[in-house]
Every structure is written in C-alpha cells, then in structure tokens.
Amino acid sequence: MDRNLVPLMPVSEFSLIDRYLATQGLSRSDVALGIGDDCALLLPPTGQHLVVTMDTLVADVHFFAATDPAGLGHKALAVNLSDLAAMGATPAWATLALTLPAADENWLGRFCRGLFALADRHGVQLVGGDTTHGPTTVITIQAHGFIPPGLALRRDGAKPGDGIYVTGTPGDAGLALAAACGKTTVVAEYRDYIRRRLEWPEPRIAQGLALRGIASAAIDISDGLAQDLGHILERSRVGARLEVERLPLSPALAASLDRDAALMFALASGDDYELCFTVPPERTVQLEALVTDWDCCCTRIGVITAEPGLRLIRADGSDFRLERLGYDHFG
Ligand code: ADP
Ligand code: MG
C-alpha cells in the first residue's frame, strides 16, 4: 500500500508495521529474511567485524514533539550512521524500536519517508524492530555495519604530534537550538540553513570510510567538540592544544553572534554530527589529497600533546576560557 495514503480506519500494531515499516524498497542480498518473522536472518561478510551501535531520541528531550516527522526519521537514523562513520564502518542494516502515544498514520508515513530516504542513500535496510504504545514518543535505532579487523577508527589511537581535524562547521546545530528556544536570534537569510543543520544532519559516512588507515583516532560530535575530543584524549591518554581561531565557523554562525560567542558554540554545543579525528604527521599529505573529493570542509584545528588536558588558545597565545564543555544528560 502507498505509505502516503491516510486510511480512515484505526489500525492495529500489525497493520502499522505492514503499511509503513515494511515498505522500504531496498532489499540487500545479505538479508535472508527481513521484517515479518520473529527475527531477521542476516549474513555478515566472512572475516569482517560486525560494527553495532544504538541511539535513542526521546520527545521533549532530543526533539520538540511538533518537529517534522520526516526530519525525525532522518535524524534517528543519521545519528546512528554518524557513529558508524566515526568508526570507519560500512553501514548495512538497522532495527527500529518505536514507542508511540497514538497510532498516527500521517506521522508514521512521514517518519518512514525521512527514514527510508536516508537509509536508501546509504544502502541500509531496515530488517526488524518493535512497536509499542507508551506515554511519549521514543525512537531507538540500532545500526549495523562492517569493517575489516584492524581498520576501525577507535578513540584510543591518538599520539602526541598528531594533527587534530574537524569536518564541516560545528556550532550550527547548537545555534539552531538556541534560536528555537528564543535564547538568540539568527540572521534571517540563514534561518533555513541553520534549521536544516539541526533537523537533517548529514552523517559523514564517506569521510569515515576514507579515513581508514589514515586517522589514528576518531569520534563524531554529538555533545560538543571540546567534550567529544576530550573522550579521544582520555582514551588515548594524551592532551591537546586547540587553536580556537582556526575553528571553521559557518557564515550563519559568524554573522549571528559576536566572535567569542560563535567560538563558544563551535566548541561546546552538540548535535552537529561532524567528525573530529587525529592524523599522524606522516599521513598529512595523504589526508590533504583525500579531502579535495569531500563534500564538506575539513580543517586542522590543533595538535595532540603528551601532557594531559585540553588547552584552548587564541592566535596571540593567550588562553580561551570555556564555561562548559558540552551537553550532559545528567549534568
Ligand atoms: P514479535 O512479537 O515476535 O517480537 P512483532 O509482532 O513485534 O514480533 O513484529 C513483527 C515483525 O515486524 C518482526 O519481524 C519485527 O522485527 C517487525 N517490526 C515490528 N516493529 C517494527 C519496527 N518499529 N520497525 C521495523 N520492524 C518492526
Ligand atoms: Mg515473536
């Protein structure tokens, strides 16, 4: 059935699954059995690691209840694909646990449209899940990918002297969120761009794949650049010197805030889903050749140091003070 049609009859869990969740066109040859049975039957490639990640979006915590459901479908998958990208994995399958306060077919149809558009683009097949009724909308996706052993971009591989890089322009999603909460205003011409950066993040899959064998460590920026880079530093038992004036600011961010406030957003606001990674000096030339093919910018923002801790410095050598590192659910 066309998933854009809105039937007039109330529907059960089973017809919701059939009418919407089981309608993805894509079918992968490594899926022996997809949606419809007690379990999916999958054929991981021999000799590769299965790479597994899971992320949850909760209404009123991660998104406004009135958010465009197509954007939610996109984002729920995007945040998972971003984790696979940060590992250097090739995405393959996804499962979806949905808790919904009502069987709203219009909502579900649009949700699936956003979800499947991104899934199709990355060759990801939805192979199963669970659908439950509950007091608030909760969306959990588990994504699965592959990587040959030894090639994963882990958090614990950074060494003193490695360059620190970031894709895209961090801070945009945080600006969009601050604007939506009425805490700041965005120059009118950039409002659409900023909202897209928050609601339709682009997982950096191609970049993660290209960085296999080149990056010594990588992470995706979900909670803020400073905080997420901090995870690399901790796991690698190193420190970093970050030159804050090198941070790539989007024209939207630069035009909407004064420079220090813009740098603060780039360093400490979450939801960007850009990649932050480190590259040893001997592979810098390889990296520079690679990035010319990328559809996003890639900027060197600092260097890994032997002494622990994250130092933020301005162009004149003075310290840049950061009030908070990033987002913390329980902080
Ligand atoms: P069971 O009760 O055996 O767990 P369900 O009735 O919950 O099975 O689900 C029936 C089929 O629909 C299963 O193959 C399951 O993986 C799939 N399914 C259920 N909910 C979802 C969902 N939200 N997204 C994708 N597939 C789903
Ligand atoms: Mg069963």
Side-chain angles (χ1 to χ4, degrees):
M1 183 184 185
D2 187 328
R3 60 176 183 259
N4 300 330
L5 288 182
V6 181
L8 299 173
M9 297 290 289
V11 287
S12 73
E13 172 197 340
F14 299 104
S15 50
L16 278 185
I17 295 169
D18 285 345
R19 283 184 191 164
Y20 299 99
L21 298 159
T23 61
Q24 186 184 7
L26 184 90
S27 88
R28 293 175 56 100
S29 59
D30 54 10
V31 178
L33 189 61
I35 292 174
D37 213 309
D38 293 313
C39 297
L41 298 177
L42 308 169
L43 254 176
T46 320
Q48 295 212 29
H49 279 154
L50 178 62
V51 187
V52 180
T53 185
M54 177 185 278
D55 258 299
T56 294
L57 301 183
V58 179
D60 300 323
V61 176
H62 299 95
F63 61 91
F64 302 108
T67 304
D68 172 13
L72 280 181
H74 171 97
K75 186 162 177 174
L77 182 61
V79 300
N80 278 279
L81 296 189
S82 175
D83 279 324
L84 292 183
M87 220 62 198
T90 309
W93 312 311
T95 53
L96 165 69
L98 261 186
T99 299
L100 301 171
D104 181 342
E105 292 201 62
N106 179 42
W107 189 95
L108 194 57
R110 295 174 64 177
F111 176 86
C112 285
R113 225 182 307 156
L115 173 72
F116 291 150
L118 181 65
D120 288 353
R121 227 167 2 103
H122 290 285
V124 172
Q125 186 175 342
L126 184 67
V127 295
D130 197 21
T131 307
T132 51
H133 178 254
T136 188
T137 304
V138 182
I139 306 157
T140 299
I141 289 186
Q142 183 170 54
H144 312 77
F146 315 127
I147 196 164
L151 285 188
L153 311 176
R154 300 162 49 134
R155 296 179 180 183
D156 60 3
K159 297 272 186 307
D162 290 358
I164 303 168
Y165 298 81
V166 68
T167 63
T169 54
D172 293 345
L175 177 64
L177 188 60
C181 298
K183 290 181 187 157
T184 185
T185 49
V186 175
V187 178
E189 65 177 299
Y190 293 123
R191 278 184 201 144
D192 282 351
Y193 164 82
I194 280 289
R195 240 202 35 223
R196 262 195 93 72
R197 291 277 291 160
L198 177 66
E199 294 180 10
W200 298 81
E202 201 51 60
R204 302 298 186 193
I205 291 288
Q207 287 74 16
L209 288 172
L211 288 170
R212 285 181 182 179
I214 291 185
S216 49
I219 193 166
D220 68 322
I221 305 174
S222 52
D223 297 328
L225 172 58
Q227 183 163 305
D228 289 324
L229 172 60
H231 296 313
I232 289 184
L233 304 183
E234 249 168 63
R235 300 297 296 269
S236 300
R237 298 169 185 276
V238 291
R241 246 173 88 95
L242 224 145
E243 297 166 49
V244 294
E245 324 267 2
R246 286 179 182 259
L247 286 167
L249 302 181
S250 70
L253 188 56
S256 299
L257 299 171
D258 72 50
R259 188 155 175 84
D260 274 12
L263 291 175
M264 207 79 89
F265 270 81
L267 283 166
S269 68
D271 256 5
D272 283 310
Y273 302 99
E274 296 295 347
L275 297 183
C276 174
F277 58 94
T278 59
V279 175
E282 66 272 18
R283 295 191 209 131
T284 308
V285 176
Q286 265 174 287
L287 175 71
E288 280 165 4
L290 269 183
V291 303
T292 55
D293 292 336
W294 288 4
D295 57 1
C296 63
C297 60
C298 175
T299 314
R300 185 184 169 107
I301 55 173
V303 67
I304 296 291
T305 58
E307 63 272 29
L310 174 60
R311 276 203 67 193
L312 305 174
I313 49 172
R314 295 180 186 271
D316 65 7
S318 64
D319 284 326
F320 182 86
R321 292 210 170 282
L322 197 60
E323 284 141 35
R324 64 185 178 93
L325 277 183
Y327 187 76
D328 181 352
H329 273 277
F330 298 101

